[in-house]
Amino acid sequence: MWADLKPIGRDAGSGGYRRYAWTQADQDCRAWFKAQSESRGLTYELDRNGNQWAWQGDPLAGDAVVTGSHLDSVPLGGAFDGPLGVVSSFAALDELRHRGVEFAKPLAITNFGDEEGARFGLACVGSRLAAGQLTAAKAHELRDADGVSLPQAMEDAGYDPSAIGPDPERLARIGAFVELHVEQGRALDVTGDPVGIASAIWPHGRWRFDFHGEANHAGTTRLEDRRDPMLTYAETVVAARREARLAGALATFAKVSVEPNGVNAIPSLVRGWLDSRAADQDTLDRVIAGIEQAARENAARSGIDLRITRESFTPVVEFEHALRDELAKLLREDHGDVPVLGTGAGHDAGILSASVPTAMLFVRNPTGISHSPAEYAAEDDCVAGVIALADVLEGLACT
């Protein structure tokens, strides 16, 4: 499975991946998922929001156990973020069939669409739509960098966007959702454990800062006469780092657009996107308030007009304790006491947690690097993750 996925959307120079929603690379990943489903005799479905499902058992029976993740990527992302969860799900099903277990409940493997938000700027679009956390009207407003709308992108890829929206009937048939994911940090490497269980996802969000100045000639305009939004943006980047460090949180400006974007032109507009996360809501609120205050003060001092827009937000997600404890119990006999750890990264499991009982397994990442071509998990740890997921699925779905 890894060999089949490896070349899809891969950049030859960096080794990273560009698998953006509803592009050819995404289509190729979707074709791979469908082929994996059909080769195992599973019932394949595409839901109203473009999420893929592969069913062992009756999809309509209810109380289903679902696993899976996503196949799309961030710009020049790594091979494991998302795909590890999908590949491991198919491998775990293979393991259960090898064990000869009897399924007492339907089991499904899923690929949620546009989890990373690399194309349209909003993470977890497929699961947000299904859970009703993104309305169809708002989804229709999403645009990529070329101005292509989400519905148009779906239509261009051969999908019907007319039915996108909440899918409560489908979610009501799910009794538990368990997502396996490569760890995006080094907690398991520090403890020496190949597999961990998620406790919670930090609250996190994305904010857009629009700094409006005045375009002018870089070679003739005196420094004193400039209304240069780039300076205010740069000061805000430094302020974000300072506020996050003081609060023990995270704040990152990693995406920026500039107009007119000429080497010899003072910008008229600098637009920067802030990603911020913290262990609790109060801390996150303090960090954002501090960054906004610094940005407004710097903008006022330099004659820059500033607009701040919160584009997305996910509150803290406490995974259901009963399901989390059940995972620990199922793993204890063969894997010992599995560490429980929080994460600052968002996931489809976090979105679905408001609608169905959810849990997550993490596989050790020895470098802690993620969203990068250097992202890595050792083969032995990946196998340990498959066995752990199979043990969990057996305990939840089999007699």
Side-chain angles (χ1 to χ4, degrees):
M1 288 186 282
W2 278 122
D4 290 341
L5 276 175
K6 186 176 180 179
I8 299 177
R10 194 178 194 194
D11 179 77
S14 68
Y17 290 88
R18 288 189 177 94
R19 295 167 173 164
Y20 303 161
W22 307 112
T23 63
Q24 186 58 55
D26 184 49
Q27 293 295 88
D28 291 344
C29 286
R30 288 170 173 273
W32 172 89
F33 182 95
K34 184 178 182 181
Q36 294 298 322
S37 172
E38 293 174 344
S39 70
R40 291 168 172 80
L42 304 176
T43 301
Y44 173 79
E45 287 185 323
L46 184 73
D47 71 20
R48 68 181 60 177
N49 297 304
N51 303 311
Q52 294 179 289
W53 301 77
W55 289 90
Q56 162 82 38
D58 183 1
L60 301 178
D63 200 25
V65 176
V66 180
T67 186
S69 191
H70 64 96
L71 293 172
D72 65 311
S73 78
V74 299
L76 295 180
F80 294 84
D81 181 354
L84 179 63
V86 180
V87 169
S88 297
S89 296
F90 282 116
L93 174 60
D94 294 342
E95 169 67 15
L96 292 177
R97 288 177 168 180
H98 177 73
R99 295 177 186 179
V101 300
E102 295 291 331
F103 289 89
K105 300 177 181 179
L107 175 70
I109 298 169
T110 186
N111 166 37
F112 282 104
D114 200 4
E115 193 270 355
E116 295 290 7
R119 183 173 182 184
F120 298 101
L122 178 65
C124 301
V125 169
S127 55
R128 285 184 193 273
L129 281 168
Q133 297 180 26
L134 173 64
T135 65
K138 289 293 185 182
H140 278 253
E141 295 175 1
L142 294 175
R143 298 285 191 279
D144 67 11
D146 296 319
V148 178
S149 70
L150 171 62
Q152 185 61 57
M154 293 179 69
E155 190 171 329
D156 290 345
Y159 292 81
D160 181 7
S162 62
I164 61 174
D167 202 352
E169 298 87 358
R170 179 177 295 274
L171 296 187
R173 301 200 301 267
I174 301 175
F177 176 69
V178 181
E179 181 175 4
L180 180 144
H181 203 280
V182 66
E183 187 193 0
Q184 294 167 291
R186 288 190 57 242
L188 291 175
D189 187 59
V190 172
T191 63
D193 295 283
V195 178
I197 298 173
S199 60
I201 297 176
W202 288 9
H204 57 280
R206 296 178 181 181
W207 291 259
R208 190 185 76 238
F209 286 64
D210 296 334
F211 300 90
H212 293 269
E214 183 178 54
N216 216 325
H217 197 298
T220 62
T221 309
R222 298 191 314 159
L223 296 181
E224 295 82 356
D225 295 336
R226 299 183 181 201
R227 292 176 55 226
D228 186 351
M230 185 65 77
L231 293 177
T232 309
Y233 168 70
E235 290 169 333
T236 305
V237 173
V238 175
R241 177 61 176 264
R242 180 182 65 248
E243 294 295 328
R245 184 178 65 249
L246 292 174
L250 300 169
T252 308
F253 277 98
K255 179 180 178 181
V256 61
S257 68
V258 182
E259 296 178 9
N261 204 29
V263 174
N264 60 348
I266 298 168
S268 61
L269 169 65
V270 175
R271 177 172 288 138
W273 282 263
L274 169 70
D275 179 298
S276 190
R277 307 161 192 243
D280 59 80
Q281 188 64 54
D282 288 343
T283 301
L284 181 59
D285 290 343
R286 289 198 308 273
V287 170
I288 297 302
I291 297 171
E292 290 189 356
Q293 180 180 349
R296 295 188 190 283
E297 290 176 352
N298 291 326
R301 186 166 52 248
S302 302
I304 302 299
D305 296 324
L306 172 62
R307 177 179 296 176
I308 302 173
T309 305
R310 190 178 79 174
E311 292 193 332
S312 67
F313 178 74
T314 303
V316 63
V317 174
E318 284 280 350
F319 290 111
E320 186 179 84
H321 290 196
L323 182 58
R324 186 182 70 194
D325 293 345
E326 180 67 13
L327 261 64
K329 178 182 176 183
L330 291 170
L331 294 176
R332 187 169 294 120
E333 181 176 348
D334 292 331
H335 304 266
D337 289 327
V338 176
V340 179
L341 55 146
T343 177
H347 301 280
D348 291 311
I351 300 299
L352 296 179
S353 67
S355 304
V356 301
T358 60
M360 290 191 71
L361 294 173
F362 291 127
V363 171
R364 177 166 49 193
N365 179 342
T367 66
I369 295 174
S370 187
H371 285 185
S372 160
E375 183 179 84
Y376 176 71
E379 183 174 335
D380 288 349
D381 289 345
C382 293
V383 172
V386 169
I387 299 303
L389 180 60
D391 290 344
V392 165
L393 297 178
E394 182 176 0
L396 296 176
C398 305
T399 55

